[in-house]
Amino acid sequence: MSDHHSYKKIEIVGSSTQSIDDAIRNAIKEASKTTKNLEWFEVTETRGHIVDGDVGHFQVTLKIGFRIENS
């Protein structure tokens, strides 16, 4: 076992019709299907889509950090 870790970051956009929180959770859930060792996230952008004067979709851009295996 190493006494240090190395990490990599990916960028992903999540969306939801319900909330920003739900958009974050959707993005993390999808990323976890194909990427191992997810450890943190940071929201870098927040935006939305307007439909008929109301919020149609919430969108968030996340940077997700994951530990490189065996590091």
Side-chain angles (χ1 to χ4, degrees):
M1 181 81 146
S2 176
D3 62 348
H4 72 279
H5 297 296
S6 295
Y7 299 90
K8 185 167 178 82
K9 290 195 285 188
I10 58 173
E11 187 172 77
I12 187 168
V13 177
S15 67
S16 170
T17 58
Q18 303 301 308
S19 68
I20 291 170
D21 183 69
D22 200 39
I24 293 168
R25 293 176 188 280
N26 290 341
I28 292 170
K29 187 178 291 185
E30 289 300 315
S32 72
K33 290 179 182 178
T34 58
T35 306
K36 298 179 191 179
N37 304 318
L38 300 181
E39 297 214 354
W40 77 85
F41 71 93
E42 58 183 288
V43 176
T44 59
E45 292 181 325
T46 305
R47 65 186 161 276
H49 178 230
I50 299 170
V51 177
D52 297 327
D54 200 2
V55 176
H57 283 87
F58 297 90
Q59 288 186 329
V60 293
T61 302
L62 304 174
K63 288 187 180 180
I64 299 177
F66 63 95
R67 182 176 37 81
I68 296 172
E69 201 160 316
N70 299 322
S71 72

